[in-house]
Amino acid sequence: MNVHDSEQMAALLAPVGYKMTDNLKLADLILLNTCSIREKAAHKVYSKLGRISKLKEQNPELIIGVGGCLAQQLGTKFHKKVGHLDFVFGTHNIYRLPQLIATIKKKRGKITEVDFHKSLNSIGVFAPPQGGAISAFVTIMQGCNNFCAYCVVPYLRGPEMSRPPEDIIEEIKKLADCGIREVTLLGQNVNSYGKTLGNGLNFASLIKKIGKISGIKRIRFTTSHPRDLSYGLINCFAEEEKLCEHIHLPVQSGSNRILALMNRGYTVEEYMQKVDHLRKIRPLISITSDIIVGFPGETQNDYQETIDMMEKIRFDSVFSFKYSERKGTAAQKLEGKVEECEKLRRLEQLQMLQDQHTLEKNTAMESSKQELLVEGKSKNSENDLMGRTSSWRIVNFKGELELIGKLVDVKISKAYLHSLRGKLIKEVGNVN
Ligand code: 5AD
Ligand code: SF4
């Protein structure tokens, strides 16, 4: 989500003359797009701002702005914490960037804009694909109404609002015309897409509409809330062939007691039933998840239940986090805080187990034939290309540069923890 927000910022600033640079020293404008989902992310922002502030001592004309969740949270307080800031803009105010910068250029001073809007101002900004990209993000909704007990997002991104389907379709058609072949539909809880539109359209019907757009070969989405994952949507994995065989379905915990404290609205049993159904509909579907350890009140027994659930489900991969207390959330007031060292112990043990499962899943793909969308050169070797399977695994293989942007078939020769090695069989389709 944040990556796409940054793409939209760049798209808004291009018409007023700003170009991206990798060299901070050359920049006339530095924008920091911040995250505050966990404390660590917020700390990183302060240390980065400390370094950037030094550039302003050398170049007083430099404009420094901060956006995103941390900016939304702190508002004017950000100026007090970081003296060199020119402006602070919130999650609903991205579209105002050109005006904010023009104001600062005209009359130096400190600006803060963090008001929430009742309309979808920022998410419709079209970000043209850069540097031959073949995959793009498309925001289909903003905000979240779920208020999971640990999470700041509903406070910082506002209430859930779905984007009208016509706007989404138009944007995807434009992206397809620019060479995009794969779209990832973005929202905090894409499964509740349509609820605020009041026209009966739901996420499954949106996917089917997108499936009809020519040029688009692959559709992905993130993130799904397990409570709202409907059987209609699960059936899309059988009915819509462009829908990739991957779902990111954050479970957060394997203990029903902790799930209730987290206000997640489902039980482990309900979650597992949906996983079973997904696997019945699309046997090879890759299921990835998010898990938090050390939520307040999580006992060794609750933690063990998470481990037991992982053993039963065997996720393809998991993003796991130590619980991080966030100001203003319901969990902040809960008793039974878990010691940092205990959280770390649980996290490391869980990650070791998940690594075993990930490797096991990857190894099961050896000798199989996989269709890849070739994204570009491999990071590992100058002579290799990199593509992704429908299940979102990275595959490195030998091939000519002209295959970039195309669908190819490979045979998997070797599995590693974070990637696979493949051998080109044949090109499936020139999708240009
Ligand atoms: N502490 C730790 N992890 C968190 N997440 C969200 N809020 C917190 C928090 N306060 C994790 C959840 C979510 C992912 C994006 O970040 O697992 O799914
Ligand atoms: Fe946060 Fe829960 Fe909303 Fe996800 S669904 S953004 S975890 S409140």
Side-chain angles (χ1 to χ4, degrees), residues 144 146-148 150-151 153-154 188 225 264:
C144 180
N146 284 312
F147 293 93
C148 299
Y150 49 81
C151 185
V153 168
Q188 305 296 343
H225 193 302
R264 289 290 288 173

Side-chain angles (χ1 to χ4, degrees), residues 35-43 46 69-70 73 149-153 155-156 322-333 337:
C35 168
S36 69
I37 198 142
R38 285 169 292 276
E39 206 177 359
K40 212 163 125 192
H43 281 317
Y46 293 124
C69 289
L70 192 61
Q73 193 172 20
Y150 49 81
C151 185
V152 281
V153 168
Y155 306 95
L156 303 180
K322 286 187 290 176
Y323 167 70
S324 166
E325 184 171 289
R326 306 316 288 136
K327 225 168 137 189
T329 58
Q332 198 191 10
K333 299 176 201 84
K337 300 274 148 52

Side-chain angles (χ1 to χ4, degrees), residues 307 310-311 313-318 347-364 393 415-418:
I307 297 289
M310 288 169 66
E311 291 278 19
I313 292 183
R314 301 186 109 74
F315 291 109
D316 291 75
S317 111
V318 165
L347 185 74
E348 284 176 353
Q349 193 194 18
L350 183 150
Q351 287 178 338
M352 255 160 57
L353 177 69
Q354 185 52 48
D355 282 354
Q356 280 175 27
H357 293 171
T358 304
L359 188 59
E360 182 184 292
K361 293 265 175 186
N362 287 353
T363 306
R393 288 176 170 86
Y416 305 95
L417 184 57
H418 300 294

Side-chain angles (χ1 to χ4, degrees), residues 20 87 116 151 241 418:
M20 295 280 245
F87 67 106
F116 276 160
C151 185
E241 61 171 32
H418 300 294

Side-chain angles (χ1 to χ4, degrees), residues 68-327:
C69 289
L70 192 61
Q72 184 68 47
Q73 193 172 20
L74 291 180
T76 50
K77 284 191 213 141
F78 226 135
H79 288 294
K80 292 198 185 99
K81 275 184 181 270
V82 184
H84 288 300
L85 278 186
D86 293 290
F87 67 106
V88 176
F89 59 106
T91 53
H92 284 205
N93 313 83
I94 296 174
Y95 77 108
R96 290 266 304 148
L97 267 179
Q99 290 87 339
L100 294 178
I101 292 165
T103 311
I104 291 186
K105 274 183 160 170
K106 223 184 274 164
K107 184 166 84 64
R108 285 276 168 173
K110 305 221 171 275
I111 299 182
T112 306
E113 266 203 29
V114 289
D115 293 340
F116 276 160
H117 298 294
K118 289 203 172 65
S119 57
L120 299 158
N121 290 311
S122 291
I123 67 174
V125 175
F126 181 72
Q130 301 293 315
I134 50 165
S135 297
F137 294 116
V138 177
T139 306
I140 61 163
M141 57 205 298
Q142 79 176 17
C144 180
N145 292 344
N146 284 312
F147 293 93
C148 299
Y150 49 81
C151 185
V152 281
V153 168
Y155 306 95
L156 303 180
R157 290 196 174 254
E160 179 182 297
M161 264 186 271
S162 297
R163 200 173 160 201
E166 312 77 65
D167 294 6
I168 299 171
I169 303 286
E170 192 190 306
E171 178 169 336
I172 299 179
K173 281 186 177 159
K174 251 164 111 180
L175 287 168
D177 289 344
C178 298
I180 291 297
R181 300 295 166 242
E182 177 183 89
V183 285
T184 303
L185 310 175
L186 290 180
Q188 305 296 343
N189 177 14
V190 290
N191 302 139
S192 66
Y193 174 79
K195 280 188 189 155
T196 61
L197 294 172
N199 60 5
L201 188 85
N202 61 20
F203 188 47
S205 34
L206 179 71
I207 288 180
K208 286 183 184 150
K209 280 178 190 288
I210 296 171
K212 295 201 175 76
I213 300 177
S214 62
I216 297 299
K217 301 284 165 187
R218 286 179 166 189
I219 304 169
R220 303 183 182 279
F221 58 82
T222 194
T223 291
S224 283
H225 193 302
R227 183 199 56 214
D228 299 323
L229 176 64
S230 67
Y231 285 89
L233 179 58
I234 294 179
N235 287 338
C236 271
F237 282 99
E239 291 159 5
E240 178 50 64
E241 61 171 32
K242 292 183 184 176
L243 193 56
C244 288
E245 57 186 19
H246 171 218
I247 186 165
H248 186 63
L249 198 60
V251 64
Q252 312 296 2
S253 170
S255 151
N256 284 334
R257 204 177 67 79
I258 297 296
L259 285 175
L261 283 173
M262 286 177 164
N263 189 29
R264 289 290 288 173
Y266 54 85
T267 61
V268 178
E269 292 73 24
E270 284 161 350
Y271 182 91
M272 300 222 314
Q273 261 175 18
K274 290 190 179 175
V275 166
D276 285 347
H277 200 69
L278 279 161
R279 287 182 169 153
K280 208 165 95 201
I281 291 279
R282 195 109 174 229
L284 294 175
I285 194 165
S286 163
I287 300 179
T288 59
S289 202
D290 292 345
I291 296 179
I292 298 176
V293 294
F295 185 79
E298 186 188 73
T299 60
Q300 176 60 31
N301 196 39
D302 293 313
Y303 168 69
Q304 189 55 46
E305 287 185 0
T306 299
I307 297 289
D308 295 346
M309 171 208 58
M310 288 169 66
E311 291 278 19
K312 280 194 203 130
I313 292 183
R314 301 186 109 74
F315 291 109
D316 291 75
S317 111
V318 165
F319 295 105
S320 48
F321 313 99
K322 286 187 290 176
Y323 167 70
S324 166
E325 184 171 289
R326 306 316 288 136
K327 225 168 137 189

